């Protein structure tokens, strides 16, 4: 899953000390995205799951963009 790969990419970021607060804030958001991603498997409506996955991918892309990934 592409979203999972983006999450792994975020986890590999090594923030400098002055960015640690921002990184932790974004890490909290990434955890939320990961949790929601895992819940997608339980959705019976496949169209709704795909729609939600695309929304999560957009959120993850914004976070990675901030970190230059």
């Amino acid at each position: 899953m592409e979203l999972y790969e983006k999450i792994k990419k975020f986890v590999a970021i090594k923030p400098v000390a002055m960015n640690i607060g921002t990184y932790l804030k974004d890490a909290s958001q990434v955890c939320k995205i990961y949790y929601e991603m895992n819940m997608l498997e339980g959705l019976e409506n496949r169209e709704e799951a795909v729609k939600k996955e695309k929304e999560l991918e957009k959120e993850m892309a914004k976070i990675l963009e901030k970190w230059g990934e």
Side-chain angles (χ1 to χ4, degrees):
M1 184 182 280
E2 186 178 326
L3 181 56
Y4 181 72
E5 293 301 319
K6 289 179 180 179
I7 290 172
K8 283 177 39 179
K9 196 176 209 179
F10 176 81
V11 173
I13 295 171
K14 308 283 191 268
V16 293
M18 65 184 195
N19 291 337
I20 196 72
T22 303
Y23 181 81
L24 292 174
K25 181 180 175 188
D26 287 344
S28 175
Q29 185 65 25
V30 170
C31 287
K32 180 182 169 205
I33 290 170
Y34 182 75
Y35 177 75
E36 290 182 27
M37 180 185 76
N38 284 331
M39 291 181 61
L40 292 178
E41 294 175 9
L43 291 178
E44 291 181 17
N45 185 339
R46 187 67 190 145
E47 291 175 8
E48 186 177 319
V50 170
K51 180 181 174 186
K52 183 65 177 173
E53 182 178 1
K54 288 180 182 181
E55 291 173 10
L56 294 173
E57 284 186 21
K58 286 179 185 177
E59 287 181 43
M60 195 65 221
K62 287 179 187 177
I63 293 170
L64 287 174
E65 186 177 310
K66 185 189 307 184
W67 291 95
E69 294 294 322

